[in-house]
């Protein structure tokens, strides 16, 4: 990647895997190879944990240690709540939007990275492929509040596929493998699950189908282990240690550790002290697998569905790529081997591959911005259908009129024509939703698009065209035209659950000390 070499000497090509439980930063070295950067503590993985300690906000390892004793002051798994107006816990009487908490995490990553590579602003941040538009926007906002200029957001499985392609020589213009490969990326992280079927064809990375669950990850396996230990404790002492949030924090940390032990040993022990009683509970791998079978089954079901959505069967898949720390659990590998009839592939580092792919993508964008040729191209699909809210003429019920079905290759545009109801109508309101359900109430409301200042004196039933465009990164743009009129119509896309620009600017100054820009 000679093109990024030149760039990396001026602007570092940096990619961030902002994980639910851990985050990773990578940059391209002078040869264009992605390397993982260590944080200020010297670790490759930074816990995505925030401790509110009086006026101080502490992120990473120390915050993670505080879970055991100061759980009330610690924000965990904020990525799982992104898209909601506020994080579920309050800290010293304050409730923060989840993207603000993510902003603090990213700010720590920015400062630690700057200490290694010099000042930086431009980055690529990854998101689960299954993230909807609202969550994507909130993640970009988190990057802004952390003082970054987010060049792009990239789907995690696509990032992993890019890292895999780099590893296999697909980035090498001279020695690139001629044979295309179809890969199924199974990505089970700390808090989210994604599965994507991709094709690597020459220098192109083409997503064929994607699906997932933003509420399923290693954390759920941890909680099951907490339950197993608590139940054993109750049988012995008739007291439930889960009643005390501080004990739960401590138990969770120990159980996460025990879970890792169970990936290499047949049993693990967890000590539990509560109300003056203590127990050392031993859990076998068999008990753990039994207690989490339904979680694994959910991933199996989604994997099979995604393969069908890509209109493929296992014979036509060349590799099953394991990504995400939770794929180290033997039950995952065994299930996928049995399901696919292939040995799952761990050639890319489970924890680092996503950040490496993001750095490669950052290098590509920087090179392109300097007019250099692209070394690879990405084609994504949308993970959720996009629709507008309409009324069923028969039942008078609201319904989701799907415009762009899920798994459509991106970028894609869809036009919807509306008619004015009366003469001289000056505005139209369009509600935009994402989701598969026919009822808009069961979909994610992205926002309202108010079309204002329509040309005066339009007759009743005049046509107004609204064009929705999903960009390659899954973000939405809305454009409005009135046929036979060159008047520029004003459109305002009012987002649900999104922080207004003034708030974002205020948080940017507060969290990162970096001056606002014209980001929108
Ligand atoms: P990631 O977000 O990809 O870094 O994945 C983090 C998740 O992987 C967390 O839930 C970890 O507990 C889990 N994890 C990491 N290593 C192991 C392991 N050896 N066995 C089981 N789970 C692991």
């Amino acid at each position: 990647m000679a093109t990024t070499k030149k760039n990396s000497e001026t602007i570092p090509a940096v990619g961030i895997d902002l994980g639910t439980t851990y985050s990773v930063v990578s940059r391209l070295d002078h040869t264009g190879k992605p390397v993982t950067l260590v944080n200020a503590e010297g670790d490759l993985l930074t816990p995505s944990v925030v401790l509110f300690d009086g006026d101080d906000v502490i992120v990473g390892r120390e915050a993670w240690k505080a879970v055991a004793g100061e759980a009330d002051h610690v924000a965990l798994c904020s990525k799982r709540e992104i898209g909601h107006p506020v994080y579920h816990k309050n800290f010293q009487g304050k409730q923060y939007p989840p993207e603000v908490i993510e902003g603090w995490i990213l700010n720590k990553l920015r400062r630690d990275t700057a200490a290694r590579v010099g000042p930086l602003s431009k980055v690529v941040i990854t998101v689960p492929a299954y993230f909807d538009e609202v969550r994507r926007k909130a993640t970009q906002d988190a990057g802004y509040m952390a003082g970054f200029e987010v060049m792009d957001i990239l789907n995690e499985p696509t990032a992993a596929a890019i890292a895999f392609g780099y590893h296999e020589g697909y980035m090498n213009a001279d020695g690139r493998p001629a044979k295309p490969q179809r890969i199924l990326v199974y990505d089970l992280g700390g808090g989210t699950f994604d599965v994507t079927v991709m094709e690597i064809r020459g220098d192109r990375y083409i997503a064929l189908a994607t699906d997932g669950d933003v509420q399923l990850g290693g954390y759920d396996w941890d909680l099951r282990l907490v339950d197993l230990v608590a139940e054993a404790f109750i049988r012995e002492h008739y007291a439930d240690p889960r009643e005390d949030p501080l004990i739960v924090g401590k138990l969770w940390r120990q159980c996460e550790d025990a879970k890792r032990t169970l990936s290499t040993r047949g049993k693990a022990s967890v000590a539990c002290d509560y109300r003056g009683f203590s127990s050392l509970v031993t859990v076998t791998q068999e008990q753990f697998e039994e207690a989490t079978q339904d979680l694994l089954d959910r991933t199996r079901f989604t994997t099979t569905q995604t393969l069908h959505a890509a209109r493929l069967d296992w014979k036509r898949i060349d590799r099953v790529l394991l990504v995400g720390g939770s794929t180290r659990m033997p039950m995952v590998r065994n299930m996928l081997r049995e399901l696919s009839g292939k040995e799952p592939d761990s050639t890319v580092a489970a924890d680092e591959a996503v950040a490496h792919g993001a750095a490669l993508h950052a290098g590509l964008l920087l090179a392109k911005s300097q007019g250099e040729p692209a070394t690879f191209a990405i084609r994504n699909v949308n993970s959720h259908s996009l629709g507008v809210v309409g009324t069923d003429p028969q039942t008078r019920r609201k319904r989701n009129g799907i415009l762009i079905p899920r798994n459509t290759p991106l970028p894609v545009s869809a036009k919807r024509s509306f008619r004015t109801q009366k003469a001289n109508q000056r505005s139209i309101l369009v509600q935009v939703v994402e989701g598969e359900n026919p009822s808009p109430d069961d979909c994610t409301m992205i926002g309202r698009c108010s079309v204002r200042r329509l040309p005066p004196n339009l007759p009743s039933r005049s046509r107004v065209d609204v064009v929705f465009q999903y960009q390659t990164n899954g973000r939405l743009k809305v454009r409005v035209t009135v046929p036979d009129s060159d008047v520029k119509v004003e459109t305002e896309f009012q987002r649900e659950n999104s922080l207004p620009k003034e708030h974002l600017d205020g948080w940017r100054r507060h969290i990162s000390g970096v001056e606002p820009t014209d980001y929108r």
Side-chain angles (χ1 to χ4, degrees), residues 372-449:
E372 292 168 28
T375 41
F376 62 94
I378 299 169
R379 182 122 204 203
N380 270 329
V381 291
N382 58 331
S383 48
H384 301 269
S385 301
L386 185 88
V388 292
V389 179
T391 309
D392 189 311
Q394 259 134 39
T395 60
R396 307 296 308 155
R397 286 228 182 96
K398 283 197 171 170
R399 62 159 193 216
N400 168 15
I402 290 181
L403 285 176
I404 304 175
R406 63 187 299 193
N407 285 325
T408 303
L410 302 178
V412 66
S413 310
K415 190 174 77 178
R416 179 77 180 247
S417 297
F418 296 87
R419 299 263 169 198
T420 55
Q421 305 278 317
K422 55 183 190 213
N424 197 27
Q425 183 172 328
R426 300 301 306 275
S427 65
I428 287 181
L429 184 71
V430 184
Q431 287 177 296
V432 186
V433 290
E434 244 185 1
E436 317 311 314
N437 205 295
S439 161
D441 295 339
D442 294 319
C443 296
T444 307
M445 173 68 75
I446 300 186
R448 288 175 177 75
C449 172

Side-chain angles (χ1 to χ4, degrees), residues 105-410:
I105 297 168
L106 285 167
N107 184 52
K108 144 112 178 135
L109 302 176
R110 183 179 60 80
R111 289 169 54 171
D112 289 3
T113 305
R116 308 267 159 204
V117 307
L120 81 158
S121 64
K122 291 176 190 269
V123 283
V124 167
I125 301 177
T126 58
V127 290
Y130 202 61
F131 253 23
D132 57 26
E133 219 272 344
V134 172
R135 292 181 169 101
R136 283 166 195 267
K137 162 82 168 102
T139 306
Q140 264 182 328
D141 288 351
Y144 177 75
M145 291 185 277
F148 282 126
E149 180 194 324
V150 182
M151 292 190 287
D152 205 358
I153 41 173
L154 178 68
N155 287 349
E156 288 161 9
T158 306
I162 292 170
F164 173 74
Y166 177 86
H167 188 268
E168 297 280 297
Y170 280 89
M171 299 273 167
N172 186 348
D174 309 323
R176 183 175 282 149
K179 193 177 164 292
Q181 283 208 41
R182 278 202 207 94
I183 58 175
L184 182 133
V185 185
Y186 176 102
D187 180 357
L188 188 62
T192 56
F193 170 62
D194 259 351
V195 53
T196 298
V197 180
M198 298 213 59
E199 189 169 276
I200 310 180
R201 182 177 283 274
D203 61 354
R204 284 182 301 148
Y205 293 78
I206 307 156
L208 303 177
T210 192
D211 204 340
D213 192 333
V214 289
Q215 301 292 346
L216 182 63
Y219 186 59
D220 299 286
W221 270 260
D222 301 343
L223 296 182
R224 292 290 169 87
L225 208 44
V226 169
D227 288 341
L228 277 180
V229 173
E231 281 153 19
F233 191 92
I234 296 168
R235 279 195 298 275
E236 209 176 320
H237 304 295
Y238 304 98
D240 186 349
R242 288 167 299 190
E243 283 163 3
D244 181 341
L246 290 181
I247 303 283
V248 173
K250 207 168 177 174
L251 256 187
W252 170 64
R253 273 198 50 180
Q254 283 183 289
C255 286
E256 203 251 359
D257 204 38
K259 178 184 74 173
R260 290 170 190 250
T261 304
L262 289 170
S263 291
T264 46
R265 294 188 59 188
K267 59 181 190 221
S269 300
V270 176
C272 182
D273 300 303
Y274 180 54
R275 285 203 195 152
F277 301 116
S278 43
S279 287
L280 186 68
V281 179
T282 300
V283 179
T284 65
Q285 201 179 68
E286 210 176 359
Q287 286 168 323
F288 179 51
E289 293 192 357
E290 202 182 293
T292 54
Q293 186 62 46
D294 60 313
L295 302 175
L296 191 68
D297 284 346
R298 275 163 66 188
T299 75
R300 177 209 294 258
F301 178 77
T302 309
T303 305
T304 309
Q305 292 253 74
T306 315
L307 197 61
H308 290 162
R311 299 199 177 85
L312 293 172
D313 56 28
W314 286 110
K315 286 202 281 303
R316 298 178 64 202
I317 295 288
D318 299 301
R319 307 252 190 155
V320 177
L321 198 64
L322 297 182
V323 180
S326 301
T327 58
R328 294 208 179 88
M329 294 187 291
M331 65 179 95
V332 168
R333 180 179 279 277
N334 295 342
M335 180 275 284
L336 285 169
R337 186 189 302 112
E338 185 236 317
L339 187 65
S340 68
K342 296 170 211 300
E343 189 58 39
D345 189 313
S346 326
T347 32
V348 294
D351 301 308
E352 296 166 72
V354 170
H356 286 188
L360 287 161
H361 185 51
L364 174 86
L365 295 177
L366 289 171
K368 271 168 91 180
S369 71
Q370 298 193 353
E372 292 168 28
T375 41
F376 62 94
I378 299 169
R379 182 122 204 203
N380 270 329
V381 291
N382 58 331
S383 48
H384 301 269
S385 301
L386 185 88
V388 292
V389 179
T391 309
D392 189 311
Q394 259 134 39
T395 60
R396 307 296 308 155
R397 286 228 182 96
K398 283 197 171 170
R399 62 159 193 216
N400 168 15
I402 290 181
L403 285 176
I404 304 175
R406 63 187 299 193
N407 285 325
T408 303
L410 302 178

Side-chain angles (χ1 to χ4, degrees), residues 51-108:
L51 165 69
F52 294 91
D53 185 14
D55 288 340
D56 294 330
V57 178
I58 296 159
V59 177
R61 196 206 283 177
E62 288 309 311
W64 153 246
K65 279 178 17 199
V67 175
E70 300 165 73
D72 288 354
H73 302 290
V74 176
L76 284 173
C77 295
S78 50
K79 180 173 174 179
R80 274 195 163 188
E81 297 186 33
I82 213 151
H84 292 275
V86 285
Y87 184 74
H88 74 275
K89 264 193 208 171
N90 79 49
F91 302 101
Q92 288 140 354
K94 283 203 200 114
Q95 264 195 306
Y96 298 100
E99 61 266 45
V100 169
I101 299 175
E102 296 273 89
W104 265 302
I105 297 168
L106 285 167
N107 184 52
K108 144 112 178 135

